[in-house]
Amino acid sequence: MSDVFISYARSTEAVAHRVAEALRAMGYGVWRDDELPAHRAYGDVIEERLAAAKAVVVVWSAEAVKSEWVRSEANRAREDHKLVQLNIDGAALPMPFDQIQCANLVGWGGDLDAPGWRKVAASVADLTGAKSVGTAAAAAAPPPIPSKPSIAVMPFANLSSDPEQDYFADGMMDEIVTALTRCKSIFVIGSGSTLSFKGKPVGAQEVARQLGVRYVLEGSVRRAANRVRIAVKLIDAADGAQIWADRFDDSLEDVFALQDKVALSIAGVIEPAVRDAEIRRASKRPTDNMGSYDLYLRALPLFRTFRRSEMSRALDLLDRATDLDPSFAIALALAATCHMQIVSYGWSDDLEGHRLRGLGLAERALSLGGDDAQVLAQVAAALRGLDRTLDRPVAIIDRAAALNPGSSQVWFISGLIRAVSGDSEAAIEHLETAIRLDPQSFVTDTSRTWIAVARFEQHRFEEALALLRDSAYRFPLRYAVEAALNAYLGHMREAHEALSHYNAASSRPIEEIADAWFRREAHRKLFLDGVDLAEGQAPSAMRQAAESGCSE
């Protein structure tokens, strides 16, 4: 029988798994209900294991407090004087368990040196009689999971009939590791460590435990004649779920160019895939007692709505995140961008105050994260609307692209800045690169909208309107551009509807946002003439030039 029985609610299975693995690494036998045999009644097995265990670790959470099973198991352990309690979300414990010592593991990521975990380990050692447990085992204990997303790239399997092709598979893995290290927001295990698992029958979850990471990338290479197929999948080690997969088919005319191409594509997709997985993880947690990074993750989906109330809530979360960690560069940069959005659309009575606070946050982020492409990109996005010129944002986003050319977010912001500056061709090229790097996420929809703005600047009205209609991305400027496009094309009812949407979304006169979003005079005039036409005013000289097919 096992030394330790773990009791938990189903929603906290990932934490229970982390607790179990940490105790196993210390040399204990651990049992939890994912090991129930198929041929026995689960109630009988649980009662048997509960009675035999020397220590019962109860993982308290808001759901566990409501669970009759958890409370029953905890009560049995209390009566048998072998209860060890830990709390992972700050939930108030029910009576009489609130009268018993409980370790605080809120936000625990597996750190064996955390004070709360040391308290749990000491209690388990005392109850099991293993006073000196962990001396030898602790040396082999897995490293703690970093606070930021962490990933290991496993050696790629060579599915070709020729064992000589191992060099290509190993090179492919090494190139991907190198590309991922450019993403400063992700902790990447070096290829030397993962190569030590080559040829060994070790699963992704065990690899993640031994290396102290949350995500594992697996891949395979199949080569035939002058063609190669590379298949990859990204796994969340907490539950073994696959969160992304893709394959690449190409010729082998230039092996190194192919490795570069695949590595860049994979790195470009993994960063947002991991970020989205982390956002989903954070959204399941309560809003109280959360760390700085969790607050940042909760702010991201609110920021992406580009609506006034959500932007205010996002800024509040980011302010709390940076209060907890004043050196959190990406949170500072995103907060600066929130202030920029508020200024751009008049969502405050103190726009100058927001502009100055945003500039201050952008400068702090730049000083702390000047070598991080993601931070640079977000600072460039903020300065685009807070600074008086575009020279500095362009220089900053170009530096971000040089640091991490595989980041879809970098290329999206670069395209946006080019569209605002009036460089329509470069804007479209950069936005299409963003879509190619990350074809199935938030970036794709937002990029498509900004391509529509660039097409509008080129007087390609029908194409621009079709792109807008195909995009679910909604924000004030989009409605104003949509109104102008419909007016130029004679769709007056749709133009009036779009103007109504704009007026509901922004309190700033359209003339004011024209100065912020269209820096080239000809494009600003084209935009304002279209809005005038939508409002029923007489067309100007620019309107007449557009109707006659003249370009700027």
Side-chain angles (χ1 to χ4, degrees):
M1 291 295 178
S2 303
D3 298 309
V4 183
F5 178 105
I6 297 182
S7 176
Y8 63 100
R10 185 58 52 194
S11 64
T12 59
E13 183 173 6
V15 178
H17 174 76
R18 196 176 304 144
V19 170
E21 291 304 305
L23 290 170
R24 286 176 181 137
M26 296 174 68
Y28 296 108
V30 180
W31 189 90
R32 61 190 186 97
D33 64 5
D34 61 339
E35 301 173 33
L36 284 167
H39 65 286
R40 297 187 58 191
Y42 62 84
D44 293 342
V45 177
I46 288 175
E47 189 168 356
E48 177 184 295
R49 294 285 183 167
L50 190 60
K54 297 175 183 178
V56 177
V57 176
V58 178
V59 181
W60 286 114
S61 64
E63 185 178 337
V65 167
K66 300 175 185 176
S67 169
E68 293 183 4
W69 278 102
V70 174
R71 292 173 71 153
S72 175
E73 291 162 359
N75 192 56
R76 177 72 64 88
R78 182 184 64 86
E79 291 175 348
D80 292 344
H81 306 289
K82 56 185 181 183
L83 173 65
V84 180
Q85 302 188 118
L86 60 93
N87 193 321
I88 64 170
D89 64 5
L93 272 57
M95 294 180 61
F97 306 107
D98 59 348
Q99 304 301 310
I100 303 170
Q101 186 64 240
C102 180
N104 180 1
L105 262 69
V106 174
W108 185 63
D111 183 1
L112 301 184
D113 289 325
W117 178 254
R118 289 203 302 269
K119 185 179 293 185
V120 171
S123 295
V124 171
D126 188 43
L127 288 168
T128 59
K131 303 285 185 183
S132 60
V133 72
T135 304
I145 295 177
S147 58
K148 64 181 180 180
S150 48
I151 187 170
V153 182
M154 293 298 294
F156 277 31
N158 176 19
L159 303 182
S160 307
S161 56
D162 182 5
E164 294 294 323
Q165 299 308 320
D166 276 357
Y167 83 91
F168 179 80
D170 291 346
M172 190 71 262
M173 181 209 74
D174 201 47
E175 286 296 323
I176 292 170
V177 170
T178 300
L180 284 174
T181 58
R182 297 172 182 166
C183 306
K184 300 295 184 181
S185 60
I186 299 178
F187 178 89
V188 185
I189 293 292
S191 56
S193 294
T194 51
L195 277 171
S196 67
F197 292 94
K198 186 175 181 178
K200 297 179 181 178
V202 184
Q205 289 179 283
E206 178 59 20
V207 168
R209 186 191 72 80
Q210 291 189 33
L211 296 178
V213 297
R214 192 178 301 281
Y215 302 96
V216 174
L217 182 74
E218 295 182 329
S220 64
V221 176
R222 186 184 298 276
R223 181 172 177 175
N226 200 41
R227 301 289 299 178
V228 65
R229 170 172 291 178
I230 300 167
V232 290
K233 60 181 178 180
L234 184 64
I235 297 168
D236 186 336
D239 55 10
Q242 177 178 301
I243 59 177
W244 171 78
D246 205 349
R247 73 182 190 189
F248 304 83
D249 294 289
D250 214 324
S251 67
L252 282 168
E253 294 176 0
D254 185 337
V255 170
F256 299 115
L258 174 61
Q259 287 180 336
D260 287 343
K261 173 184 173 182
V262 174
L264 198 64
S265 298
I266 290 173
V269 172
I270 282 180
E271 187 177 22
V274 166
R275 186 169 57 245
D276 289 346
E278 291 289 301
I279 290 171
R280 289 192 295 272
R281 188 189 308 280
S283 67
K284 296 177 182 178
R285 300 175 184 172
T287 56
D288 296 329
N289 298 310
M290 290 169 53
S292 181
Y293 187 69
D294 283 334
L295 290 164
Y296 162 73
L297 290 175
R298 291 181 67 85
L300 272 175
L302 293 170
F303 169 80
R304 291 174 178 176
T305 65
F306 294 94
R307 293 193 294 265
R308 181 173 186 168
S309 59
E310 283 84 349
M311 195 66 64
S312 177
R313 288 163 55 199
L315 186 55
D316 177 65
L317 289 168
L318 292 167
D319 285 344
R320 290 164 57 192
T322 53
D323 283 344
L324 289 174
D325 183 0
S327 63
F328 193 178
I330 187 59
L332 291 166
L334 190 64
T337 310
C338 288
H339 284 290
M340 181 273 291
Q341 294 288 347
I342 291 169
V343 170
S344 295
Y345 296 120
W347 289 338
S348 170
D349 294 330
D350 181 20
L351 297 182
E352 183 61 15
H354 279 283
R355 192 182 77 83
L356 293 175
R357 286 194 292 276
L359 285 171
L361 289 166
E363 295 299 338
R364 283 175 58 194
L366 203 56
S367 66
L368 291 164
D371 62 345
D372 186 330
Q374 188 182 7
V375 172
L376 290 171
Q378 203 64 65
V379 167
L383 291 178
R384 192 276 316 152
L386 297 171
D387 208 347
R388 301 305 185 191
T389 71
L390 286 177
D391 293 344
R392 194 170 180 220
V394 168
I396 291 172
I397 197 63
D398 286 349
R399 183 181 173 197
L403 283 171
N404 189 2
S407 170
S408 59
Q409 181 73 4
V410 167
W411 288 111
F412 162 68
I413 292 174
S414 181
L416 184 157
I417 291 172
R418 261 70 185 196
V420 171
S421 70
D423 189 352
S424 307
E425 284 299 333
I428 292 167
E429 179 184 347
H430 293 189
L431 292 163
E432 288 178 344
T433 299
I435 293 172
R436 185 165 65 252
L437 287 170
D438 188 10
Q440 296 183 15
S441 80
F442 164 82
V443 168
T444 296
D445 208 33
T446 50
S447 295
R448 189 179 294 117
T449 302
W450 280 99
I451 290 174
V453 173
R455 291 301 188 203
F456 169 72
E457 293 172 345
Q458 295 174 330
H459 295 241
R460 296 166 68 168
F461 299 149
E462 291 186 356
E463 186 176 345
L465 187 58
L467 284 164
L468 285 184
R469 287 173 174 170
D470 194 35
S471 170
Y473 181 38
R474 300 288 189 268
F475 68 116
L477 178 67
R478 175 246 166 85
Y479 293 126
V481 172
E482 191 174 10
L485 282 168
N486 276 300
Y488 278 130
L489 293 170
H491 309 152
M492 300 312 296
R493 181 177 61 82
E494 292 86 348
H496 294 155
E497 289 178 358
L499 280 178
S500 297
H501 288 308
Y502 172 82
N503 290 326
S506 175
S507 59
R508 291 193 76 176
I510 286 180
E511 291 76 13
E512 291 184 12
I513 73 159
D515 293 334
W517 293 100
F518 294 96
R519 299 296 179 88
R520 184 173 292 184
E521 177 60 32
H523 294 159
R524 184 162 57 250
K525 186 163 175 46
L526 176 70
F527 170 65
L528 290 174
D529 283 348
V531 171
D532 285 346
L533 192 64
E535 291 175 337
Q537 299 183 31
S540 68
M542 176 56 72
R543 158 63 180 157
Q544 294 165 1
E547 286 181 333
S548 66
C550 297
S551 59
E552 53 184 283

